[in-house]
Amino acid sequence: MDELRRTLSELKHLRRASIEKDMCTHPGVIGGLCIRCGQKVDDQSGVAFGYIHKDLRLGNDEVARIRKRDFKNLLRQKKLYLVLDLDHTLLNSTRLLDITPEEEYLRSQTHALQEPLKGSLFRLDYLHMLTKLRPFVRTFLKEASNLFEMYIYTMGERAYAMEMAKLLDPENVHFNSKVIAQGDCTQRHQKGLDVVLGHESAVLILDDTEPVWVKHKDNLILMERYNFFASSCRQFGFNCKSLSELKSDESEADGALATVLEVLKQIHGMFFDQKLGDNLVDRDVRKVLKTVRMEVLKGCKLVFSRVFPTKFQAEKHQLWKMAEQLGALCTTELDPSVTHVVSTDAGTEKSHWAVREKRFLVHPRWIEAANYLWQKQPEENFPVKQTKSQL
Amino acid sequence: MFFHIVLERNMQLHPRHFGRDLRDKLVAKLMKDVEGTCSGRHGFVVAITGIEHVGKGLIRDGTGFVTFPVKYQCVVFRPFKGEILEAVVTMVNKMGFFAEAGPVQIFVSNHLIPDDMEFQSGDMPNYTTSDGSVKIQKDSEVRLKIIGTRVDATEIFCIGTIKDDFLGVISDPGSTS
């Protein structure tokens, strides 16, 4: 009788276990096996997370579940997510065969790869490259890591990305399992937050290239490009001497990274502001970013002169939109409330009006500078030249 | 689980190796070819312990190569579903952790980690209980149960769990032993 009872309970246990296994929704697959029940799964649905493990795929529900749980965890630590681009944002690389004669002196100035914490110029023979880290980058990473969980997201190949991560983070503290490379993108030539395990409402992106972030423009902080090597300058069509050829560099204390760090601290402070009352989970860092941006040119009313091609719809121009994002009011007609005339030619009617009425007359680069430096710049630094007019 | 079994293999030898040391060269080639490989049936071949028998060599037509059937004893390692193993943690992230038991790599996802253990990110990411008494981080030793295996030519990959009784951390890397 006892034997029978024991067999029945064993059978029940087995039945329960097999039902559990049949009911498994296979939230994710690694190496062809379900991460929850261990069965072989052939499913190719969901998103590949090759940067965490080469054979890992996660279903959309699982990604949502992880994002939610991780977000709560991060909020407790008072942190947000920060996605960092590599090239021209945190560093600049050049191929050894692209080095110009004036850059030859750099070959003897490289630091040993075994001592990545010293110095900022490295030679990677197996990749045939020279890499220069942007000034202030180590301090930037150290301070940002107190406020953000950081990811690297590059359009370079994985091997390159991992080498750069080793230079920036030799102790593998910041970017452990968080280096996303070109092969991880789900769409060609586009970066996406779908492979980042964090809520979009809590992610900020630092990148020098806007077109790759079409779907996430609101999370993007555009960085001024870091072109140290001559080959980079050529790549972007600049015919002047590069920083390396001039034996100079971006300022450490005033450079782009130092500036953007202050902006990040400001956004972080505003996000975690206790006085706002509402639930942290409902807050959106994109709104905070927009608010901070709108402060830069607040109170300015701009009129453009000889900036847009004729018959071009002014409101659609990139500069107009940039100025509006920075908090300025843009208009096409002059009126007494206009504060700045943005012009490329000091001989136009509108330019003369500005001088006559003692308003500011500035070159369009004044707007771009405000965009990169997050501060209204002194107008006298952006004078407008008089081109040979037809009069 | 480890097994000590006898396997057989046909070894091809180039005529340049013929001579006084033929048998030694054959054994050396066998070791180079077989140790460190995996098969679905036997698992991972850890080491060859002895040669049981070397058969008569057959010359292959057209080439000078000679094929010898070799019977050898070896230690193999093969994980089984349901087996309980001890492993060392190699990496911890928000998905779970990776551990190694010899040549076998095991992944334990956070679905199969007890619910009271939370992921803590930082310079030493870990899973810790709410009271901090139990911690799983890199180099921790854990006892886990295998719930799925996959073998290919060069490696064995498993899914494991620590959600059952008597599974979990064996020792803390930080503690004195």
Side-chain angles (χ1 to χ4, degrees), chain A residues 21 30-31 35 38 53 62 65 69-70 73 77 149 151 173 177 197, chain B residues 81 93-95 98 109-112 119 121 123 125 147-150 159:
Chain A
K21 196 171 296 173
I30 188 169
I35 59 174
H53 187 273
E62 176 68 0
R65 187 193 74 97
R69 220 191 40 176
D70 198 57
N73 201 346
Q77 294 177 50
E149 181 178 290
Y151 279 75
V173 158
S177 293
L197 287 172
Chain B
K81 202 169 82 167
N93 58 46
K94 59 180 88 164
M95 301 272 337
F98 287 87
S109 88
N110 49 44
H111 288 274
L112 300 172
F119 176 65
S121 55
D123 46 337
I147 60 165
T149 66
R150 197 209 56 180
I159 303 287

PDB file of all heavy atoms in Angstrom, chain A residues 21 30-31 35 38 53 62 65 69-70 73 77 149 151 173 177 197, chain B residues 81 93-95 98 109-112 119 121 123 125 147-150 159:
ATOM      1  N   LYS A  21       7.604  22.312 -17.626  1.00  0.00           N
ATOM      2  CA  LYS A  21       8.520  22.474 -18.742  1.00  0.00           C
ATOM      3  C   LYS A  21       7.749  22.808 -20.009  1.00  0.00           C
ATOM      4  O   LYS A  21       8.166  23.645 -20.780  1.00  0.00           O
ATOM      5  CB  LYS A  21       9.322  21.183 -18.948  1.00  0.00           C
ATOM      6  CG  LYS A  21      10.520  21.450 -19.822  1.00  0.00           C
ATOM      7  CD  LYS A  21      11.473  20.325 -19.925  1.00  0.00           C
ATOM      8  CE  LYS A  21      12.132  19.970 -18.639  1.00  0.00           C
ATOM      9  NZ  LYS A  21      12.903  18.743 -18.839  1.00  0.00           N
ATOM     10  N   ILE A  30      20.136  30.844 -25.117  1.00  0.00           N
ATOM     11  CA  ILE A  30      21.589  31.020 -25.158  1.00  0.00           C
ATOM     12  C   ILE A  30      22.232  29.711 -25.573  1.00  0.00           C
ATOM     13  O   ILE A  30      21.941  28.665 -25.003  1.00  0.00           O
ATOM     14  CB  ILE A  30      22.120  31.550 -23.798  1.00  0.00           C
ATOM     15  CG1 ILE A  30      23.579  31.914 -23.918  1.00  0.00           C
ATOM     16  CG2 ILE A  30      21.908  30.567 -22.672  1.00  0.00           C
ATOM     17  CD1 ILE A  30      24.106  32.682 -22.732  1.00  0.00           C
ATOM     18  N   GLY A  31      23.063  29.762 -26.612  1.00  0.00           N
ATOM     19  CA  GLY A  31      23.684  28.539 -27.114  1.00  0.00           C
ATOM     20  C   GLY A  31      22.660  27.508 -27.548  1.00  0.00           C
ATOM     21  O   GLY A  31      22.881  26.307 -27.429  1.00  0.00           O
ATOM     22  N   ILE A  35      16.965  29.627 -21.444  1.00  0.00           N
ATOM     23  CA  ILE A  35      17.652  30.018 -20.207  1.00  0.00           C
ATOM     24  C   ILE A  35      16.855  29.665 -18.959  1.00  0.00           C
ATOM     25  O   ILE A  35      17.354  29.735 -17.851  1.00  0.00           O
ATOM     26  CB  ILE A  35      17.967  31.529 -20.170  1.00  0.00           C
ATOM     27  CG1 ILE A  35      16.692  32.369 -20.285  1.00  0.00           C
ATOM     28  CG2 ILE A  35      18.932  31.911 -21.266  1.00  0.00           C
ATOM     29  CD1 ILE A  35      16.939  33.862 -20.117  1.00  0.00           C
ATOM     30  N   GLY A  38      16.128  24.999 -19.959  1.00  0.00           N
ATOM     31  CA  GLY A  38      17.251  24.201 -20.437  1.00  0.00           C
ATOM     32  C   GLY A  38      16.987  23.388 -21.680  1.00  0.00           C
ATOM     33  O   GLY A  38      17.859  22.698 -22.178  1.00  0.00           O
ATOM     34  N   HIS A  53      26.693  37.754 -24.806  1.00  0.00           N
ATOM     35  CA  HIS A  53      27.217  36.430 -25.127  1.00  0.00           C
ATOM     36  C   HIS A  53      26.912  36.191 -26.593  1.00  0.00           C
ATOM     37  O   HIS A  53      25.830  36.499 -27.067  1.00  0.00           O
ATOM     38  CB  HIS A  53      26.547  35.361 -24.264  1.00  0.00           C
ATOM     39  CG  HIS A  53      27.161  34.005 -24.435  1.00  0.00           C
ATOM     40  ND1 HIS A  53      26.764  33.127 -25.409  1.00  0.00           N
ATOM     41  CD2 HIS A  53      28.164  33.394 -23.772  1.00  0.00           C
ATOM     42  CE1 HIS A  53      27.490  32.024 -25.333  1.00  0.00           C
ATOM     43  NE2 HIS A  53      28.341  32.155 -24.354  1.00  0.00           N
ATOM     44  N   GLU A  62      10.921  39.371 -22.203  1.00  0.00           N
ATOM     45  CA  GLU A  62      12.045  39.229 -21.296  1.00  0.00           C
ATOM     46  C   GLU A  62      12.840  40.531 -21.239  1.00  0.00           C
ATOM     47  O   GLU A  62      13.258  40.961 -20.166  1.00  0.00           O
ATOM     48  CB  GLU A  62      12.930  38.068 -21.761  1.00  0.00           C
ATOM     49  CG  GLU A  62      14.192  37.856 -20.966  1.00  0.00           C
ATOM     50  CD  GLU A  62      13.950  37.366 -19.548  1.00  0.00           C
ATOM     51  OE1 GLU A  62      12.779  37.185 -19.170  1.00  0.00           O
ATOM     52  OE2 GLU A  62      14.930  37.192 -18.820  1.00  0.00           O
ATOM     53  N   ARG A  65      10.998  42.881 -19.122  1.00  0.00           N
ATOM     54  CA  ARG A  65      11.087  42.512 -17.715  1.00  0.00           C
ATOM     55  C   ARG A  65      12.440  42.928 -17.128  1.00  0.00           C
ATOM     56  O   ARG A  65      12.517  43.495 -16.031  1.00  0.00           O
ATOM     57  CB  ARG A  65      10.892  40.996 -17.585  1.00  0.00           C
ATOM     58  CG  ARG A  65      10.783  40.484 -16.158  1.00  0.00           C
ATOM     59  CD  ARG A  65      10.905  38.968 -16.121  1.00  0.00           C
ATOM     60  NE  ARG A  65      12.271  38.556 -16.340  1.00  0.00           N
ATOM     61  CZ  ARG A  65      13.125  38.249 -15.360  1.00  0.00           C
ATOM     62  NH1 ARG A  65      12.730  38.295 -14.119  1.00  0.00           N
ATOM     63  NH2 ARG A  65      14.350  37.895 -15.648  1.00  0.00           N
ATOM     64  N   ARG A  69      13.174  45.789 -14.155  1.00  0.00           N
ATOM     65  CA  ARG A  69      13.830  45.442 -12.907  1.00  0.00           C
ATOM     66  C   ARG A  69      15.126  46.224 -12.742  1.00  0.00           C
ATOM     67  O   ARG A  69      15.441  46.714 -11.657  1.00  0.00           O
ATOM     68  CB  ARG A  69      14.139  43.951 -12.911  1.00  0.00           C
ATOM     69  CG  ARG A  69      13.897  43.292 -11.584  1.00  0.00           C
ATOM     70  CD  ARG A  69      14.459  41.938 -11.601  1.00  0.00           C
ATOM     71  NE  ARG A  69      15.710  41.997 -12.304  1.00  0.00           N
ATOM     72  CZ  ARG A  69      16.533  40.975 -12.445  1.00  0.00           C
ATOM     73  NH1 ARG A  69      16.207  39.832 -11.908  1.00  0.00           N
ATOM     74  NH2 ARG A  69      17.622  41.088 -13.119  1.00  0.00           N
ATOM     75  N   ASP A  70      15.857  46.359 -13.836  1.00  0.00           N
ATOM     76  CA  ASP A  70      17.135  47.046 -13.778  1.00  0.00           C
ATOM     77  C   ASP A  70      16.938  48.527 -13.486  1.00  0.00           C
ATOM     78  O   ASP A  70      17.724  49.148 -12.770  1.00  0.00           O
ATOM     79  CB  ASP A  70      17.873  46.865 -15.104  1.00  0.00           C
ATOM     80  CG  ASP A  70      19.334  47.155 -14.961  1.00  0.00           C
ATOM     81  OD1 ASP A  70      19.971  46.507 -14.112  1.00  0.00           O
ATOM     82  OD2 ASP A  70      19.826  48.043 -15.665  1.00  0.00           O
ATOM     83  N   ASN A  73      16.356  49.128  -9.888  1.00  0.00           N
ATOM     84  CA  ASN A  73      17.654  48.963  -9.237  1.00  0.00           C
ATOM     85  C   ASN A  73      18.496  50.225  -9.373  1.00  0.00           C
ATOM     86  O   ASN A  73      19.074  50.720  -8.408  1.00  0.00           O
ATOM     87  CB  ASN A  73      18.354  47.802  -9.946  1.00  0.00           C
ATOM     88  CG  ASN A  73      19.436  47.197  -9.087  1.00  0.00           C
ATOM     89  OD1 ASN A  73      19.845  47.767  -8.092  1.00  0.00           O
ATOM     90  ND2 ASN A  73      19.884  46.027  -9.489  1.00  0.00           N
ATOM     91  N   GLN A  77      19.923  53.441  -6.777  1.00  0.00           N
ATOM     92  CA  GLN A  77      21.308  53.927  -6.667  1.00  0.00           C
ATOM     93  C   GLN A  77      21.435  55.360  -7.168  1.00  0.00           C
ATOM     94  O   GLN A  77      22.545  55.888  -7.232  1.00  0.00           O
ATOM     95  CB  GLN A  77      22.230  53.072  -7.535  1.00  0.00           C
ATOM     96  CG  GLN A  77      22.377  51.645  -7.084  1.00  0.00           C
ATOM     97  CD  GLN A  77      23.241  50.888  -8.068  1.00  0.00           C
ATOM     98  OE1 GLN A  77      24.314  51.326  -8.432  1.00  0.00           O
ATOM     99  NE2 GLN A  77      22.755  49.751  -8.519  1.00  0.00           N
ATOM    100  N   GLU A 149      25.001  54.479 -15.390  1.00  0.00           N
ATOM    101  CA  GLU A 149      25.529  53.194 -15.834  1.00  0.00           C
ATOM    102  C   GLU A 149      25.871  53.394 -17.308  1.00  0.00           C
ATOM    103  O   GLU A 149      25.035  53.847 -18.080  1.00  0.00           O
ATOM    104  CB  GLU A 149      24.482  52.091 -15.698  1.00  0.00           C
ATOM    105  CG  GLU A 149      25.052  50.746 -16.136  1.00  0.00           C
ATOM    106  CD  GLU A 149      24.065  49.612 -15.986  1.00  0.00           C
ATOM    107  OE1 GLU A 149      23.782  49.246 -14.838  1.00  0.00           O
ATOM    108  OE2 GLU A 149      23.606  49.103 -17.024  1.00  0.00           O
ATOM    109  N   TYR A 151      27.414  52.628 -21.251  1.00  0.00           N
ATOM    110  CA  TYR A 151      27.586  51.685 -22.342  1.00  0.00           C
ATOM    111  C   TYR A 151      28.491  52.327 -23.392  1.00  0.00           C
ATOM    112  O   TYR A 151      28.469  53.541 -23.570  1.00  0.00           O
ATOM    113  CB  TYR A 151      26.230  51.428 -23.046  1.00  0.00           C
ATOM    114  CG  TYR A 151      25.316  50.433 -22.383  1.00  0.00           C
ATOM    115  CD1 TYR A 151      24.606  50.763 -21.236  1.00  0.00           C
ATOM    116  CD2 TYR A 151      25.129  49.172 -22.938  1.00  0.00           C
ATOM    117  CE1 TYR A 151      23.745  49.848 -20.653  1.00  0.00           C
ATOM    118  CE2 TYR A 151      24.264  48.259 -22.367  1.00  0.00           C
ATOM    119  CZ  TYR A 151      23.567  48.601 -21.223  1.00  0.00           C
ATOM    120  OH  TYR A 151      22.703  47.693 -20.655  1.00  0.00           O
ATOM    121  N   VAL A 173      35.702  47.973 -15.198  1.00  0.00           N
ATOM    122  CA  VAL A 173      34.771  48.342 -14.155  1.00  0.00           C
ATOM    123  C   VAL A 173      33.528  49.024 -14.734  1.00  0.00           C
ATOM    124  O   VAL A 173      32.420  48.817 -14.297  1.00  0.00           O
ATOM    125  CB  VAL A 173      35.503  49.289 -13.177  1.00  0.00           C
ATOM    126  CG1 VAL A 173      34.545  50.128 -12.395  1.00  0.00           C
ATOM    127  CG2 VAL A 173      36.386  48.490 -12.266  1.00  0.00           C
ATOM    128  N   SER A 177      30.525  43.758 -20.065  1.00  0.00           N
ATOM    129  CA  SER A 177      29.365  43.266 -20.829  1.00  0.00           C
ATOM    130  C   SER A 177      28.532  44.384 -21.426  1.00  0.00           C
ATOM    131  O   SER A 177      27.347  44.216 -21.672  1.00  0.00           O
ATOM    132  CB  SER A 177      28.401  42.442 -19.954  1.00  0.00           C
ATOM    133  OG  SER A 177      28.975  41.266 -19.548  1.00  0.00           O
ATOM    134  N   LEU A 197      19.860  47.449 -22.468  1.00  0.00           N
ATOM    135  CA  LEU A 197      18.921  46.939 -21.461  1.00  0.00           C
ATOM    136  C   LEU A 197      18.570  48.028 -20.462  1.00  0.00           C
ATOM    137  O   LEU A 197      18.847  47.916 -19.270  1.00  0.00           O
ATOM    138  CB  LEU A 197      19.521  45.714 -20.765  1.00  0.00           C
ATOM    139  CG  LEU A 197      19.545  44.470 -21.636  1.00  0.00           C
ATOM    140  CD1 LEU A 197      20.332  43.364 -20.963  1.00  0.00           C
ATOM    141  CD2 LEU A 197      18.138  43.988 -21.948  1.00  0.00           C
TER     142      LEU A 197
ATOM    143  N   LYS B  81      22.051  16.150 -17.681  1.00  0.00           N
ATOM    144  CA  LYS B  81      20.924  16.922 -17.157  1.00  0.00           C
ATOM    145  C   LYS B  81      20.555  16.347 -15.801  1.00  0.00           C
ATOM    146  O   LYS B  81      20.426  15.132 -15.647  1.00  0.00           O
ATOM    147  CB  LYS B  81      19.747  16.801 -18.133  1.00  0.00           C
ATOM    148  CG  LYS B  81      18.766  17.923 -18.002  1.00  0.00           C
ATOM    149  CD  LYS B  81      17.794  17.918 -19.138  1.00  0.00           C
ATOM    150  CE  LYS B  81      16.698  16.911 -18.856  1.00  0.00           C
ATOM    151  NZ  LYS B  81      15.574  17.076 -19.772  1.00  0.00           N
ATOM    152  N   ASN B  93      26.542  39.387 -14.620  1.00  0.00           N
ATOM    153  CA  ASN B  93      25.912  40.585 -15.178  1.00  0.00           C
ATOM    154  C   ASN B  93      24.415  40.541 -14.906  1.00  0.00           C
ATOM    155  O   ASN B  93      23.933  39.603 -14.259  1.00  0.00           O
ATOM    156  CB  ASN B  93      26.218  40.734 -16.676  1.00  0.00           C
ATOM    157  CG  ASN B  93      25.759  39.551 -17.486  1.00  0.00           C
ATOM    158  OD1 ASN B  93      24.642  39.066 -17.311  1.00  0.00           O
ATOM    159  ND2 ASN B  93      26.616  39.057 -18.361  1.00  0.00           N
ATOM    160  N   LYS B  94      23.686  41.514 -15.422  1.00  0.00           N
ATOM    161  CA  LYS B  94      22.282  41.621 -15.025  1.00  0.00           C
ATOM    162  C   LYS B  94      21.416  40.494 -15.575  1.00  0.00           C
ATOM    163  O   LYS B  94      20.280  40.304 -15.151  1.00  0.00           O
ATOM    164  CB  LYS B  94      21.709  42.982 -15.427  1.00  0.00           C
ATOM    165  CG  LYS B  94      21.760  43.298 -16.893  1.00  0.00           C
ATOM    166  CD  LYS B  94      21.156  44.664 -17.176  1.00  0.00           C
ATOM    167  CE  LYS B  94      22.167  45.768 -17.075  1.00  0.00           C
ATOM    168  NZ  LYS B  94      21.756  47.019 -17.685  1.00  0.00           N
ATOM    169  N   MET B  95      21.962  39.691 -16.502  1.00  0.00           N
ATOM    170  CA  MET B  95      21.212  38.554 -17.027  1.00  0.00           C
ATOM    171  C   MET B  95      21.332  37.327 -16.155  1.00  0.00           C
ATOM    172  O   MET B  95      20.498  36.434 -16.217  1.00  0.00           O
ATOM    173  CB  MET B  95      21.756  38.165 -18.402  1.00  0.00           C
ATOM    174  CG  MET B  95      21.701  39.227 -19.421  1.00  0.00           C
ATOM    175  SD  MET B  95      20.171  39.230 -20.272  1.00  0.00           S
ATOM    176  CE  MET B  95      19.616  37.615 -20.041  1.00  0.00           C
ATOM    177  N   PHE B  98      27.899  33.483 -15.381  1.00  0.00           N
ATOM    178  CA  PHE B  98      28.566  32.398 -16.089  1.00  0.00           C
ATOM    179  C   PHE B  98      29.521  31.733 -15.115  1.00  0.00           C
ATOM    180  O   PHE B  98      30.197  32.410 -14.340  1.00  0.00           O
ATOM    181  CB  PHE B  98      29.376  32.930 -17.275  1.00  0.00           C
ATOM    182  CG  PHE B  98      28.513  33.379 -18.424  1.00  0.00           C
ATOM    183  CD1 PHE B  98      28.021  34.664 -18.475  1.00  0.00           C
ATOM    184  CD2 PHE B  98      28.200  32.502 -19.456  1.00  0.00           C
ATOM    185  CE1 PHE B  98      27.233  35.088 -19.531  1.00  0.00           C
ATOM    186  CE2 PHE B  98      27.413  32.916 -20.513  1.00  0.00           C
ATOM    187  CZ  PHE B  98      26.927  34.206 -20.555  1.00  0.00           C
ATOM    188  N   SER B 109      20.750  31.786 -15.459  1.00  0.00           N
ATOM    189  CA  SER B 109      20.054  33.051 -15.681  1.00  0.00           C
ATOM    190  C   SER B 109      19.360  33.495 -14.405  1.00  0.00           C
ATOM    191  O   SER B 109      19.145  32.702 -13.486  1.00  0.00           O
ATOM    192  CB  SER B 109      19.031  32.914 -16.808  1.00  0.00           C
ATOM    193  OG  SER B 109      17.799  32.484 -16.291  1.00  0.00           O
ATOM    194  N   ASN B 110      18.989  34.782 -14.366  1.00  0.00           N
ATOM    195  CA  ASN B 110      18.393  35.270 -13.128  1.00  0.00           C
ATOM    196  C   ASN B 110      17.026  34.670 -12.862  1.00  0.00           C
ATOM    197  O   ASN B 110      16.511  34.756 -11.753  1.00  0.00           O
ATOM    198  CB  ASN B 110      18.333  36.800 -13.106  1.00  0.00           C
ATOM    199  CG  ASN B 110      17.739  37.352 -14.362  1.00  0.00           C
ATOM    200  OD1 ASN B 110      16.731  36.838 -14.858  1.00  0.00           O
ATOM    201  ND2 ASN B 110      18.361  38.384 -14.909  1.00  0.00           N
ATOM    202  N   HIS B 111      16.435  33.993 -13.864  1.00  0.00           N
ATOM    203  CA  HIS B 111      15.195  33.255 -13.615  1.00  0.00           C
ATOM    204  C   HIS B 111      15.423  32.117 -12.640  1.00  0.00           C
ATOM    205  O   HIS B 111      14.515  31.679 -11.940  1.00  0.00           O
ATOM    206  CB  HIS B 111      14.681  32.612 -14.905  1.00  0.00           C
ATOM    207  CG  HIS B 111      14.131  33.589 -15.876  1.00  0.00           C
ATOM    208  ND1 HIS B 111      12.832  34.026 -15.830  1.00  0.00           N
ATOM    209  CD2 HIS B 111      14.700  34.203 -16.921  1.00  0.00           C
ATOM    210  CE1 HIS B 111      12.631  34.876 -16.821  1.00  0.00           C
ATOM    211  NE2 HIS B 111      13.738  34.999 -17.494  1.00  0.00           N
ATOM    212  N   LEU B 112      16.674  31.608 -12.640  1.00  0.00           N
ATOM    213  CA  LEU B 112      16.982  30.418 -11.860  1.00  0.00           C
ATOM    214  C   LEU B 112      17.874  30.735 -10.668  1.00  0.00           C
ATOM    215  O   LEU B 112      18.562  29.857 -10.148  1.00  0.00           O
ATOM    216  CB  LEU B 112      17.631  29.373 -12.777  1.00  0.00           C
ATOM    217  CG  LEU B 112      16.721  28.972 -13.938  1.00  0.00           C
ATOM    218  CD1 LEU B 112      17.468  28.094 -14.921  1.00  0.00           C
ATOM    219  CD2 LEU B 112      15.489  28.241 -13.438  1.00  0.00           C
ATOM    220  N   PHE B 119      20.583  41.748  -8.127  1.00  0.00           N
ATOM    221  CA  PHE B 119      21.805  42.096  -8.826  1.00  0.00           C
ATOM    222  C   PHE B 119      22.316  43.450  -8.335  1.00  0.00           C
ATOM    223  O   PHE B 119      21.555  44.404  -8.227  1.00  0.00           O
ATOM    224  CB  PHE B 119      21.549  42.162 -10.338  1.00  0.00           C
ATOM    225  CG  PHE B 119      22.729  42.609 -11.130  1.00  0.00           C
ATOM    226  CD1 PHE B 119      23.875  41.830 -11.184  1.00  0.00           C
ATOM    227  CD2 PHE B 119      22.718  43.809 -11.806  1.00  0.00           C
ATOM    228  CE1 PHE B 119      24.982  42.244 -11.918  1.00  0.00           C
ATOM    229  CE2 PHE B 119      23.817  44.228 -12.544  1.00  0.00           C
ATOM    230  CZ  PHE B 119      24.947  43.442 -12.596  1.00  0.00           C
ATOM    231  N   SER B 121      25.091  46.229  -9.371  1.00  0.00           N
ATOM    232  CA  SER B 121      26.131  46.582 -10.337  1.00  0.00           C
ATOM    233  C   SER B 121      27.227  47.354  -9.617  1.00  0.00           C
ATOM    234  O   SER B 121      27.070  47.727  -8.466  1.00  0.00           O
ATOM    235  CB  SER B 121      25.534  47.424 -11.458  1.00  0.00           C
ATOM    236  OG  SER B 121      24.885  48.532 -10.914  1.00  0.00           O
ATOM    237  N   ASP B 123      31.818  48.040  -9.511  1.00  0.00           N
ATOM    238  CA  ASP B 123      33.086  47.533 -10.063  1.00  0.00           C
ATOM    239  C   ASP B 123      33.244  46.039  -9.817  1.00  0.00           C
ATOM    240  O   ASP B 123      34.026  45.381 -10.481  1.00  0.00           O
ATOM    241  CB  ASP B 123      34.294  48.331  -9.542  1.00  0.00           C
ATOM    242  CG  ASP B 123      34.216  48.538  -8.058  1.00  0.00           C
ATOM    243  OD1 ASP B 123      33.091  48.482  -7.508  1.00  0.00           O
ATOM    244  OD2 ASP B 123      35.258  48.763  -7.432  1.00  0.00           O
ATOM    245  N   PRO B 125      30.437  43.416  -9.916  1.00  0.00           N
ATOM    246  CA  PRO B 125      29.004  43.082  -9.954  1.00  0.00           C
ATOM    247  C   PRO B 125      28.732  41.761  -9.241  1.00  0.00           C
ATOM    248  O   PRO B 125      29.541  40.839  -9.311  1.00  0.00           O
ATOM    249  CB  PRO B 125      28.703  42.970 -11.452  1.00  0.00           C
ATOM    250  CG  PRO B 125      29.988  42.984 -12.151  1.00  0.00           C
ATOM    251  CD  PRO B 125      31.031  43.490 -11.247  1.00  0.00           C
ATOM    252  N   ILE B 147      20.489  21.832 -16.070  1.00  0.00           N
ATOM    253  CA  ILE B 147      19.157  21.518 -16.581  1.00  0.00           C
ATOM    254  C   ILE B 147      19.114  21.424 -18.104  1.00  0.00           C
ATOM    255  O   ILE B 147      18.088  21.125 -18.678  1.00  0.00           O
ATOM    256  CB  ILE B 147      18.095  22.533 -16.096  1.00  0.00           C
ATOM    257  CG1 ILE B 147      18.458  23.946 -16.560  1.00  0.00           C
ATOM    258  CG2 ILE B 147      17.941  22.494 -14.600  1.00  0.00           C
ATOM    259  CD1 ILE B 147      17.282  24.888 -16.427  1.00  0.00           C
ATOM    260  N   GLY B 148      20.237  21.672 -18.756  1.00  0.00           N
ATOM    261  CA  GLY B 148      20.259  21.514 -20.215  1.00  0.00           C
ATOM    262  C   GLY B 148      21.702  21.538 -20.686  1.00  0.00           C
ATOM    263  O   GLY B 148      22.521  22.266 -20.131  1.00  0.00           O
ATOM    264  N   THR B 149      22.020  20.717 -21.689  1.00  0.00           N
ATOM    265  CA  THR B 149      23.396  20.726 -22.195  1.00  0.00           C
ATOM    266  C   THR B 149      23.402  20.774 -23.709  1.00  0.00           C
ATOM    267  O   THR B 149      22.459  20.340 -24.370  1.00  0.00           O
ATOM    268  CB  THR B 149      24.184  19.450 -21.798  1.00  0.00           C
ATOM    269  OG1 THR B 149      23.597  18.335 -22.463  1.00  0.00           O
ATOM    270  CG2 THR B 149      24.192  19.219 -20.323  1.00  0.00           C
ATOM    271  N   ARG B 150      24.480  21.306 -24.246  1.00  0.00           N
ATOM    272  CA  ARG B 150      24.667  21.315 -25.696  1.00  0.00           C
ATOM    273  C   ARG B 150      26.139  21.108 -25.951  1.00  0.00           C
ATOM    274  O   ARG B 150      26.983  21.766 -25.335  1.00  0.00           O
ATOM    275  CB  ARG B 150      24.203  22.638 -26.271  1.00  0.00           C
ATOM    276  CG  ARG B 150      23.979  22.550 -27.777  1.00  0.00           C
ATOM    277  CD  ARG B 150      24.203  23.839 -28.420  1.00  0.00           C
ATOM    278  NE  ARG B 150      25.537  24.337 -28.104  1.00  0.00           N
ATOM    279  CZ  ARG B 150      26.009  25.483 -28.541  1.00  0.00           C
ATOM    280  NH1 ARG B 150      25.276  26.242 -29.300  1.00  0.00           N
ATOM    281  NH2 ARG B 150      27.205  25.882 -28.230  1.00  0.00           N
ATOM    282  N   ILE B 159      23.057  24.962 -19.275  1.00  0.00           N
ATOM    283  CA  ILE B 159      22.240  25.890 -18.490  1.00  0.00           C
ATOM    284  C   ILE B 159      22.103  25.289 -17.115  1.00  0.00           C
ATOM    285  O   ILE B 159      21.869  24.087 -16.973  1.00  0.00           O
ATOM    286  CB  ILE B 159      20.821  26.041 -19.104  1.00  0.00           C
ATOM    287  CG1 ILE B 159      20.918  26.506 -20.543  1.00  0.00           C
ATOM    288  CG2 ILE B 159      19.964  26.990 -18.291  1.00  0.00           C
ATOM    289  CD1 ILE B 159      21.318  27.938 -20.717  1.00  0.00           C
TER     290      ILE B 159
END
